[in-house]
């Protein structure tokens, strides 16, 4: 178990090495639930790595500023990094699982090597709705992350808009995360399936 300090997420104190899916019905709900978690990280000198819709990046930075985060200074000292989809999941116009898992590991390792006690990674997952090669692998990718994330003392939160993903995808995504936020409430996920089990099931379906 991680020796790092507990973090607060959606009103609960949890150990930091977590992979969480967060389902929201609106951007307002998403920021209401996640902003205290994001702010706490800055107040504790931790690193923030966010992946956002390219059309939303400016608004996202504005929201952070309105919450009292000194955005420019945080970016300059490397405490805050906000990447667009094409700089993370959709590099070269397509999604590739291995490449993205390697990037996640690189980001978490770099945070530690640069002296930050923890990285709080928040990723908007609507890139999977784009008409791009590889995006259908999102469910397997989310499951495979569970092989590597337990090795790190960090928190990874994947955000999904319930209005944009169909029910079958939502159910599969939920099963790939040990913890889940629904209705603004964080809970251990009773539907979670370990990656060996879930990936085998995915391949059998195909």
């Amino acid at each position: 178990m991680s020796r790092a300090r507990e973090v607060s997420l959606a009103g609960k104190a949890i150990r930091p090495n977590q992979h969480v899916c967060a389902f929201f019905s609106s951007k307002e709900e998403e920021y209401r639930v996640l902003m205290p978690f994001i702010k706490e990280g800055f107040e504790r000198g931790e690193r923030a790595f966010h992946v956002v819709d390219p059309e939303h990046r400016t608004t996202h930075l504005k929201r952070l500023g309105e919450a009292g985060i000194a955005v420019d200074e945080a970016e300059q000292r490397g405490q805050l990094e906000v990447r667009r989809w094409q700089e993370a999941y959709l590099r070269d116009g397509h999604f590739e699982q291995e490449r993205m898992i390697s990037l996640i590991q690189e980001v978490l390792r770099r945070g530690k090597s640069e002296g930050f006690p923890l990285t709080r990674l928040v990723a908007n997952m609507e890139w999977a709705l784009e008409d791009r090669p590889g995006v259908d692998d999102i469910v397997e990718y989310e499951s495979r992350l569970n092989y590597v994330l337990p090795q790190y003392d960090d928190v990874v939160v994947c955000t999904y808009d319930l209005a944009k993903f169909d029910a079958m995808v939502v159910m599969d995504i939920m099963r790939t995360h040990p913890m889940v936020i629904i209705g603004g409430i964080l809970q251990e996920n009773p539907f979670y399936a370990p990656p060996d089990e879930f990936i085998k099931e995915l391949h059998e379906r195909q």
Side-chain angles (χ1 to χ4, degrees):
M1 182 178 290
S2 168
R3 295 181 181 177
R5 285 192 294 171
E6 289 187 329
V7 304
S8 297
L9 177 58
K12 291 188 179 179
I14 59 171
R15 68 181 191 276
N17 56 329
Q18 297 289 349
H19 184 205
V20 183
C21 63
F23 295 111
F24 298 111
S25 299
S26 67
K27 279 294 179 192
E28 290 305 319
E29 180 190 13
E30 179 178 339
Y31 281 104
R32 176 176 56 78
V33 173
L34 294 184
M35 193 59 78
F37 163 77
I38 293 169
K39 282 188 67 178
E40 179 188 72
F42 280 95
E43 290 164 359
R44 286 170 31 166
E46 297 165 355
R47 189 164 186 263
F49 185 92
H50 299 166
V51 184
V52 299
D53 181 337
E55 296 184 2
H56 188 64
R57 188 178 189 277
T58 299
T59 302
H60 181 71
L61 294 175
K62 182 180 177 184
R63 292 254 199 177
L64 295 179
E66 289 170 348
I69 295 164
V71 170
D72 291 343
E73 292 89 339
E75 287 187 313
Q76 287 170 12
R77 64 175 175 265
Q79 187 179 13
L80 171 66
E81 185 172 352
V82 181
R83 291 198 189 184
R84 302 168 180 86
W85 290 336
Q86 61 266 36
E87 297 163 336
Y89 295 99
L90 298 178
R91 283 175 291 172
D92 304 318
H94 68 280
F95 175 65
E96 187 177 312
Q97 292 188 63
E98 289 290 349
R99 182 174 63 177
M100 191 60 205
I101 290 171
S102 294
L103 175 62
I104 296 287
Q105 292 179 290
E106 175 193 326
V107 167
L108 301 183
R109 283 195 298 262
R110 190 167 78 240
K112 189 69 72 177
S113 69
E114 291 177 358
F116 295 102
L118 199 73
T119 294
R120 301 188 186 212
L121 192 156
V122 179
N124 175 276
M125 305 301 285
E126 289 163 34
W127 56 268
L129 300 171
E130 298 278 298
D131 184 17
R132 302 291 184 89
V135 297
D136 290 343
D137 290 335
I138 182 173
V139 175
E140 182 172 333
Y141 159 76
E142 286 276 40
S143 187
R144 290 179 63 198
L145 273 180
N146 296 308
Y147 286 127
V148 299
L149 293 183
Q151 303 168 29
Y152 300 90
D153 286 340
D154 302 286
V155 188
V156 174
V157 181
C158 307
T159 70
Y160 290 85
D161 187 328
L162 282 170
K164 296 181 179 178
F165 289 87
D166 69 43
M168 287 294 292
V169 172
V170 166
M171 194 62 214
D172 275 347
I173 290 297
M174 184 183 299
R175 293 178 61 203
T176 65
H177 292 75
M179 300 199 77
V180 60
I181 297 173
I182 300 180
I185 298 171
L186 175 70
Q187 57 190 321
E188 289 193 22
N189 183 6
F191 301 107
Y192 171 67
D196 282 351
E197 172 188 327
F198 189 70
I199 292 170
K200 180 172 182 274
E201 178 186 327
L202 280 179
H203 291 173
E204 286 172 350
R205 288 187 208 169
Q206 296 168 0

